[in-house]
């Protein structure tokens, strides 16, 4: 009889805190809704004490996403725990996740605390959390490099004081399956009250063993796996959710465990995450990489055509990659587009369909064949986003190795048009300088990348950027058959986020100061 393993997704916490994966509130909410559709059991929504932005995002997720448990991370101090609780208390199923490091190296050099001091802190934290919330997880950071008897002692005390889940992280991705499995088995045997808690694993991928280690942890008693979509996370990342889920799904014959995750939502979750963060998935990544189901060698193609099982251990459809029957082109109407989106798993309301159709017709004028990836890019790019304060009306840029790059940009803001030109280090830099002259906000580009999302010479190019305005970093993205156009629109996407946030702040401040006066309009700084 197969036993259930709980899937604890930490894409929005451990994943989001890794370089290049940051998301704003709207983006985190969109991802949390998708994780709900994916049917994960627990969403770790963030680390509320880390920043006001983190707090607000966790709170918004706790308010809107009702099906899964919503966890918030806290160190073992009262301020962290209170902040975490404040952020999740309205969740349908809240969980406080508190942690402290237990290895001697972390205790001595990072925390400068003795084992007994850490034990006291853990007990106090679990008690405080449990007074607030009936679902409390306790993690021993760097557990795999901790003394096993001390670990057993701290876990037993945590359970005694109310922890309902006990997490045994391989924080630095150092363990190997041959060690982690017996370690967990022995550890559990030393914890007298082990039947009063669910044990969990949390593996990092520094040696590429996070998934293997997680599976061996399950084999040895863990019934919760902490993981992330696309395996994003600190350094080399966390165990990849899709690999864990699909291994259990595909090798039911060998592994007597299952998850409640809906595998058909895997591909969409992967695409959404890389679209939101700009952190693209390597082509040969298991399950969700571009080549995961591509057969190039003639002998393989021949085999697959005769019987797919010759080289395919699972179908692309089983993870939600749909080879669609509807071919979309210039003459397709709204009805066909709406049906096509349904096939791809998106239910659009009237307004969303109108916007999607607008982008679709623009694309169909530029491109002969429209692939599913193009449509997903349209929907994830242009539909549920923040309002466009500025829109690109016209962009022209030139460069080369013989002359200085220059650009002319015309932006729309409501009924008004603003035009500027600028020189730059390359055409993209020139565009961004011209935009800055119009908006009056100086951006510092932190990161710029361009990927092709579909096939052919007229493939859609997706541009992702991270840009800093007023000491805050914003991501921007846009897709177009023209990289110059996509670059300009990606920048505007980030600019509009900055304006939106600024506008919200001005409104909040003004409402707090004089609630009856109504909303304060943000003044345009453009010339
Ligand atoms: O890797 C780790 O140890 C963590 C803990 C906070 C669970 O992320
Ligand atoms: Zn971690």
């Amino acid at each position: 009889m197969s036993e259930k393993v709980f899937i604890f997704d930490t894409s929005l916490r451990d994943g989001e805190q890794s370089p290049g994966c940051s998301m704003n509130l709207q983006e985190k909410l969109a991802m949390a809704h998708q994780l709900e559709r994916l049917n994960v059991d627990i969403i770790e929504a963030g680390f509320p004490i880390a920043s006001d932005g983190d707090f607000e995002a966790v709170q918004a997720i706790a308010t809107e996403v009702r099906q899964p448990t919503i966890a918030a991370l806290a160190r073992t101090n009262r301020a962290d725990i209170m902040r975490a609780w404040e952020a999740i208390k309205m969740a349908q199923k809240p969980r406080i996740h508190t942690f402290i490091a237990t290895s001697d190296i972390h205790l001595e050099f990072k925390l400068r605390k003795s084992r007994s001091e850490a034990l006291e802190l853990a007990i106090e934290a679990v008690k405080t959390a449990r007074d607030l919330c009936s679902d409390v997880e306790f993690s021993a950071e760097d557990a795999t490099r901790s003394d096993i008897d001390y670990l057993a002692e701290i876990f037993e005390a945590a359970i005694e004081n109310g922890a309902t889940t006990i997490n045994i992280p391989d924080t630095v991705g150092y363990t190997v399956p041959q060690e982690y499995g017996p370690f967990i088995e022995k550890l559990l045997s030393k914890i007298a009250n082990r039947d009063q808690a669910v044990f969990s694993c949390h593996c990092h991928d520094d040696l590429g063993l996070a998934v293997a280690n997680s599976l061996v942890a399950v084999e040895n008693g863990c019934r919760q796996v902490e993981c992330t979509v696309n395996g994003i996370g600190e350094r080399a990342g966390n165990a990849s959710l899709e690999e864990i889920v699909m291994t259990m799904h595909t090798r039911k014959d060998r592994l007597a465990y299952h998850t409640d995750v809906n595998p058909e939502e895997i591909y969409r979750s992967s695409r959404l995450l890389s679209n939101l963060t700009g952190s693209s998935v390597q082509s040969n990544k298991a399950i969700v990489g571009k080549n995961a189901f591509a057969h190039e060698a003639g002998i393989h193609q021949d085999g697959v055509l005769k019987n797919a099982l010759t080289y395919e251990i699972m179908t692309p459809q089983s993870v939600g990659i749909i080879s669609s029957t509807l071919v979309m082109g210039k003459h397709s109407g709204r009805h066909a587009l709406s049906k096509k989106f349904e096939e791809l798993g998106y239910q659009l309301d009237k307004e969303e369909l109108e916007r999607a159709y607008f982008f679709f017709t623009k694309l169909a004028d530029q491109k002969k064949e429209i692939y599913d990836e193009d449509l997903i890019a349209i929907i994830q790019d242009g539909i549920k986003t923040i309002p466009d304060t500025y829109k690109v009306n016209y962009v022209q840029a030139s460069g080369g190795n013989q002359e200085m790059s220059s650009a002319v940009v015309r932006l729309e803001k409501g009924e008004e048009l603003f035009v500027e030109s600028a020189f730059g280090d390359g055409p993209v830099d020139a565009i961004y300088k011209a935009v800055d002259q119009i908006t009056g906000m100086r951006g510092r580009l932190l990161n710029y990348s361009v990927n092709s999302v579909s096939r052919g010479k007229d493939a859609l190019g997706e541009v992702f950027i991270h840009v800093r305005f007023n000491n805050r970093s914003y991501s921007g993205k846009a897709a177009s058959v023209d990289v110059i156009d996509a670059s300009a629109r990606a920048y505007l996407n980030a600019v509009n986020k900055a304006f939106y946030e600024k506008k919200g702040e001005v409104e909040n401040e003004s409402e707090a100061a004089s609630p009856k006066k109504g909303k304060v309009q943000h003044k345009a700084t453009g010339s």
Side-chain angles (χ1 to χ4, degrees):
M1 176 62 183
S2 147
E3 273 188 61
K4 168 160 172 166
V5 171
F6 290 86
I7 292 294
F8 176 114
D9 181 278
T10 183
S11 307
L12 295 172
R13 200 278 298 168
D14 214 328
E16 204 262 347
Q17 75 193 37
S18 65
C21 289
S22 58
M23 287 173 252
N24 64 22
L25 190 146
Q26 301 296 329
E27 293 165 337
K28 285 184 190 171
L29 254 179
M31 192 62 210
H33 280 296
Q34 179 56 32
L35 290 170
E36 185 177 32
R37 284 190 284 273
L38 185 62
N39 209 27
V40 303
D41 299 287
I42 303 113
I43 294 176
E44 186 163 49
F47 190 8
I49 197 89
S51 69
D52 289 348
D54 240 49
F55 176 87
E56 282 154 22
V58 176
Q59 195 172 48
I61 293 168
T63 311
E64 278 195 24
V65 181
R66 308 304 283 170
Q67 181 55 35
T69 295
I70 306 299
L73 188 68
R75 287 165 299 187
T76 48
N77 66 66
R78 200 175 160 77
D80 274 40
I81 295 168
M82 296 311 289
R83 193 76 176 142
W85 176 241
E86 202 50 38
I88 54 163
K89 67 180 183 202
M90 68 291 291
Q92 187 84 23
K93 297 180 233 165
R95 173 181 294 186
I96 298 176
H97 177 193
T98 185
F99 76 101
I100 191 163
T102 50
S103 64
D104 288 339
I105 184 167
H106 275 234
L107 285 171
E108 185 180 342
F109 294 101
K110 193 180 83 174
L111 299 178
R112 299 191 191 287
K113 297 215 179 301
S114 65
R115 286 185 185 180
S116 57
E117 284 171 321
L119 176 66
E120 279 314 306
L121 284 171
I123 292 173
E124 275 316 302
V126 169
K127 274 191 194 158
T128 309
R130 188 58 203 255
D131 282 347
L132 300 164
C133 181
S134 61
D135 187 345
V136 174
E137 173 166 340
F138 173 71
S139 285
E141 193 187 10
D142 206 17
T144 49
R145 294 192 301 168
S146 304
D147 176 76
I148 194 161
D149 290 315
Y150 175 57
L151 207 52
E153 185 186 354
I154 203 166
F155 282 158
E156 195 169 303
I159 298 171
E160 208 171 292
N161 287 283
T164 43
T165 300
I166 293 291
N167 187 28
I168 314 163
D170 181 31
T171 303
V172 291
Y174 180 68
T175 198
V176 294
Q178 292 79 353
E179 177 185 61
Y180 196 41
F183 180 77
I184 291 174
E185 193 189 13
K186 192 164 169 196
L187 175 65
L188 264 57
S189 74
K190 288 172 181 276
I191 302 171
N193 52 6
R194 61 184 170 276
D195 56 339
Q196 292 167 37
V198 172
F199 284 83
S200 165
C201 60
H202 174 113
C203 298
H204 280 268
D205 208 29
D206 299 65
L207 293 172
L209 293 170
V211 169
N213 285 332
S214 304
L215 292 173
V216 97
V218 169
E219 198 76 40
N220 284 279
C222 289
R223 289 293 174 270
Q224 173 177 289
V225 174
E226 304 198 354
C227 48
T228 59
V229 172
N230 297 340
I232 62 167
E234 280 287 356
R235 305 180 311 278
N238 288 63
S240 135
L241 178 147
E242 56 277 8
E243 292 175 28
I244 306 257
V245 168
M246 287 316 284
T247 303
M248 289 186 193
H249 192 79
T250 311
R251 295 307 311 272
K252 291 188 191 85
D253 59 321
R254 190 72 184 76
L255 307 169
Y257 315 103
H258 68 270
T259 72
D260 283 348
V261 165
N262 176 3
E264 289 179 12
E265 290 292 335
I266 283 180
Y267 185 64
R268 255 192 297 282
S269 308
S270 163
R271 284 288 304 152
L272 180 63
L273 186 66
S274 52
N275 224 305
L276 292 174
T277 59
S279 169
S280 50
V281 171
Q282 82 208 43
S283 310
N284 61 335
K285 163 84 177 63
I287 322 288
V288 292
K290 228 179 197 164
N291 296 344
F293 294 94
H295 304 278
E296 184 76 28
I299 191 164
H300 287 207
Q301 288 176 345
D302 184 52
V304 168
L305 286 174
K306 287 176 178 148
N307 181 344
L309 291 178
T310 50
Y311 286 100
E312 266 182 12
I313 59 167
M314 58 201 151
T315 62
Q317 290 80 359
S318 66
V319 294
I321 302 174
I322 291 168
S323 32
S324 175
T325 45
L326 278 170
V327 179
M328 301 305 293
K330 206 177 167 124
H331 303 293
S332 312
R334 285 178 183 72
H335 184 63
L337 187 66
S338 151
K339 276 261 160 268
K340 176 77 184 187
F341 275 123
E342 259 174 48
E343 264 193 15
L344 293 170
Y346 295 96
Q347 301 282 350
L348 304 194
D349 63 28
K350 223 168 152 228
E351 210 177 292
E352 289 164 350
L353 180 64
E354 247 348 280
R355 270 200 92 179
Y357 187 69
F358 169 78
F359 285 114
F360 167 73
T361 49
K362 270 178 74 170
L363 188 62
D365 275 341
Q366 294 170 290
K367 208 170 177 286
K368 278 203 301 286
E369 284 173 273
I370 309 262
Y371 296 104
D372 292 354
E373 295 92 321
D374 296 324
L375 293 171
I376 293 174
I378 285 181
I379 197 146
Q380 293 185 346
D381 230 37
I383 307 302
K384 288 169 175 158
T385 48
I386 49 145
D388 289 338
T389 307
Y390 286 99
K391 277 190 201 150
V392 178
N393 174 282
Y394 171 92
V395 58
Q396 175 69 49
S398 66
N401 62 359
Q402 300 295 322
E403 59 184 62
M404 197 157 179
S405 299
S406 61
V408 179
V409 175
R410 192 163 61 218
L411 300 184
E412 285 172 37
K413 187 177 185 232
E415 297 295 299
E416 292 172 288
L417 282 178
F418 300 91
V419 190
E420 280 293 350
S421 59
F423 290 105
D425 299 329
V428 171
D429 184 51
I431 294 171
Y432 293 176
K433 284 197 169 120
V435 170
D436 285 355
Q437 285 168 26
I438 295 174
T439 62
M441 262 195 328
R442 252 182 94 79
R444 193 161 76 80
L445 192 62
L446 306 172
N447 194 8
Y448 172 95
S449 69
V450 53
N451 298 304
S452 135
V453 282
S454 55
R455 291 149 272 174
K457 271 202 277 185
D458 57 0
L460 268 193
E462 250 176 350
V463 171
F464 291 104
I465 58 163
H466 280 107
V467 56
R468 188 177 287 277
F469 294 110
N470 308 323
N471 280 330
R472 284 202 205 169
S473 147
Y474 299 87
S475 64
K477 59 181 180 292
S480 170
V481 285
D482 185 287
V483 173
I484 290 292
D485 178 44
S487 301
R489 289 196 300 106
Y491 195 70
L492 259 291
N493 185 227
V495 165
N496 286 329
K497 284 179 187 170
F499 267 98
Y500 183 62
E501 217 168 273
K502 202 165 161 187
K503 185 166 177 272
E505 277 166 17
V506 173
E507 280 171 1
N508 285 342
E509 277 162 24
S510 111
E511 273 163 15
S514 52
K516 290 195 191 77
K517 271 194 182 160
K519 303 198 166 182
V520 170
Q521 291 295 312
H522 175 76
K523 284 203 201 105
T525 44
S527 52

